[in-house]
Amino acid sequence: MTIFKYISNTFTALLLALSFGSVQAQDIKVVYHVNTGIESAAAALGNVRNHLTADPTAKITVVTHGPGIDFLLEGAKDSKGREFSGLVGDLAGKGVQFRVCNNTLVSRNIDAGKVVMEAKIVPSGVAEVARLQAKEGFVYLKP
Amino acid sequence: MTIFKYISNTFTALLLALSFGSVQAQDIKVVYHVNTGIESAAAALGNVRNHLTADPTAKITVVTHGPGIDFLLEGAKDSKGREFSGLVGDLAGKGVQFRVCNNTLVSRNIDAGKVVMEAKIVPSGVAEVARLQAKEGFVYLKP
Amino acid sequence: MTIFKYISNTFTALLLALSFGSVQAQDIKVVYHVNTGIESAAAALGNVRNHLTADPTAKITVVTHGPGIDFLLEGAKDSKGREFSGLVGDLAGKGVQFRVCNNTLVSRNIDAGKVVMEAKIVPSGVAEVARLQAKEGFVYLKP
């Protein structure tokens, strides 16, 4: 191998390494930030469902805090009396992740056992919204 | 050309290539996410106008869905009875782009012909908001 | 030094330079975008406080415009009659920065002298929200 060939090969490897990040990041990751009450939850979940229909490879995480957690409590119903559990379970089956803020549980005195099994409890909803963007490459959307 | 000179030139070219992305990306691109009704549209468009005054090179795209599309329908008027068409046309003339969600048109049974000519119809408003951020380098703003 | 050694050293330096940006950016920077009235300001500031508790190294800048500036005016009180100055001063002491939109001051005919000393006046709130994201590496959160 000549030295020019060596240099050329090394550059190629370097350029591949540099571009690999963007090549890998083809699937869009989106954090849906939900902190409004149960009356707007059905619309927010409808947005998530439409999003997945338009972009089936999107990775969506719904982070909730404040009144936004209510649709993720056992037995929660929308304004038409339908339980949220069916829609939440359906979206979870499609890969959507749900997060509930522990600060909210504590300040509102809600037992963690009331949170549906599809949702994961995180220490702070707002810190999670920021972390997903800053550290995990998520983009933001407030429905 | 000596081999050192060759290496030096190649490095320079590589570094220029690497920095080119950021050099090009000096103009700020912003997606305005509008999904609230016509009563808040005038304020949102006022934000866009003020934004352009403060940063004339900003590239702004207004993505609408749900009740947010209403100001982009033919004949839409604000709470004072003024048509939106003048302001929308003015902003479009300054390079602002407008998008209307087709899912919303279908679910609300609105004919695509009612959308003003300055706006482009996209399959899904929420997917477009995410795509612009993840793939086109836009930052997010919800007015 | 052999030429191979030279190439190797130069590559190492280049790779270190390339990775340095991400190494430095470990602290999360978040812009809180506040444009709703004083009745929601206490909740927004509660979010900021909880955020810092969960992530004490987070750098938080609260950018306000429209009705969002009201809690940063001298003597502003929440719905329970408590002055905001204590909480704002406390958060400022923890490194939180506050920004008030000059366009709002002008359009609402509010004297700049009424803005509390912890807040800095910027020409345009929306342009500042975009600039912090596009140029300073902030992520977005609307409380």
Side-chain angles (χ1 to χ4, degrees):
Chain A
M1 186 158 76
T2 68
I3 184 144
F4 276 99
K5 184 99 178 193
Y6 175 84
I7 292 167
S8 165
N9 286 351
T10 317
F11 268 123
T12 306
L14 179 61
L15 286 171
L16 279 174
L18 289 170
S19 59
F20 194 64
S22 52
V23 169
Q24 274 212 315
Q26 282 182 339
D27 290 350
I28 294 178
K29 296 186 277 189
V30 194
V31 52
Y32 271 68
H33 178 202
V34 175
N35 66 345
T36 50
I38 204 160
E39 67 285 358
S40 54
L45 294 179
N47 288 155
V48 173
R49 199 183 43 206
N50 285 338
H51 196 143
L52 281 177
T53 302
D55 181 6
T57 67
K59 180 180 176 186
I60 296 178
T61 297
V62 180
V63 177
T64 67
H65 63 97
I69 75 164
D70 288 1
F71 78 93
L72 291 170
L73 300 179
E74 293 286 0
K77 290 178 182 140
D78 68 16
S79 59
K80 292 173 184 160
R82 293 171 303 200
E83 290 218 359
F84 278 103
S85 56
L87 184 48
V88 168
D90 180 49
L91 291 173
K94 288 174 178 159
V96 177
Q97 297 195 21
F98 295 93
R99 305 266 195 277
V100 166
C101 173
N102 192 54
N103 283 335
T104 301
L105 294 176
V106 170
S107 71
R108 292 178 52 194
N109 206 19
I110 297 170
D111 190 90
K114 285 210 66 182
V115 174
V116 298
M117 66 172 188
E118 287 88 353
K120 182 181 158 193
I121 297 171
V122 292
S124 159
V126 285
E128 180 72 1
V129 167
R131 191 191 66 79
L132 287 171
Q133 293 180 79
K135 300 296 185 188
E136 307 278 348
F138 279 67
V139 298
Y140 181 95
L141 197 150
K142 187 155 193 184
Chain B
M1 186 161 68
T2 67
I3 184 147
F4 276 99
K5 184 99 177 197
Y6 175 85
I7 293 167
S8 165
N9 287 349
T10 318
F11 268 124
T12 306
L14 179 61
L15 287 171
L16 279 174
L18 289 170
S19 59
F20 194 63
S22 52
V23 169
Q24 273 215 315
Q26 282 181 339
D27 290 350
I28 294 179
K29 297 187 276 189
V30 194
V31 53
Y32 271 67
H33 178 201
V34 175
N35 66 344
T36 49
I38 204 160
E39 68 284 357
S40 54
L45 294 179
N47 289 155
V48 172
R49 198 183 42 205
N50 285 338
H51 197 143
L52 281 176
T53 303
D55 181 7
T57 66
K59 180 180 175 185
I60 296 178
T61 297
V62 180
V63 177
T64 67
H65 63 97
I69 74 164
D70 289 1
F71 78 93
L72 291 170
L73 301 179
E74 293 286 0
K77 290 180 182 140
D78 68 16
S79 59
K80 293 174 184 159
R82 292 172 302 201
E83 291 220 358
F84 278 102
S85 55
L87 185 47
V88 168
D90 180 50
L91 291 173
K94 289 174 178 160
V96 176
Q97 297 195 19
F98 295 92
R99 305 266 194 276
V100 166
C101 172
N102 192 53
N103 283 334
T104 300
L105 294 176
V106 171
S107 71
R108 292 178 53 191
N109 205 21
I110 297 170
D111 190 89
K114 285 208 64 180
V115 174
V116 298
M117 66 172 188
E118 287 89 351
K120 182 181 158 192
I121 297 171
V122 292
S124 159
V126 284
E128 180 72 0
V129 168
R131 191 190 67 78
L132 287 171
Q133 292 180 81
K135 301 295 185 189
E136 307 279 348
F138 279 67
V139 298
Y140 181 95
L141 198 150
K142 186 156 195 185
Chain C
M1 185 160 74
T2 69
I3 184 147
F4 276 99
K5 185 97 176 194
Y6 176 83
I7 293 167
S8 164
N9 287 351
T10 318
F11 269 124
T12 307
L14 179 60
L15 287 171
L16 279 174
L18 289 169
S19 59
F20 194 64
S22 51
V23 168
Q24 273 213 315
Q26 281 181 340
D27 290 350
I28 294 178
K29 296 186 277 189
V30 194
V31 53
Y32 271 67
H33 179 201
V34 174
N35 66 344
T36 50
I38 204 159
E39 67 285 356
S40 54
L45 294 179
N47 288 156
V48 172
R49 198 182 42 204
N50 285 338
H51 197 142
L52 281 177
T53 303
D55 181 6
T57 67
K59 181 180 175 184
I60 295 178
T61 297
V62 180
V63 178
T64 67
H65 63 97
I69 75 163
D70 288 0
F71 78 93
L72 290 171
L73 300 179
E74 293 286 358
K77 290 179 181 140
D78 69 15
S79 59
K80 293 173 183 159
R82 293 172 302 201
E83 290 219 359
F84 277 103
S85 56
L87 184 49
V88 168
D90 180 48
L91 292 173
K94 289 175 178 160
V96 176
Q97 297 195 20
F98 295 92
R99 305 267 195 274
V100 166
C101 173
N102 192 54
N103 283 334
T104 300
L105 293 177
V106 171
S107 71
R108 292 177 55 193
N109 204 21
I110 297 170
D111 189 90
K114 284 209 66 181
V115 174
V116 298
M117 65 173 189
E118 287 89 352
K120 183 182 156 191
I121 297 171
V122 292
S124 158
V126 284
E128 180 72 359
V129 168
R131 191 191 65 79
L132 288 171
Q133 293 180 81
K135 301 295 185 188
E136 307 277 349
F138 279 67
V139 298
Y140 180 95
L141 197 149
K142 186 155 193 186

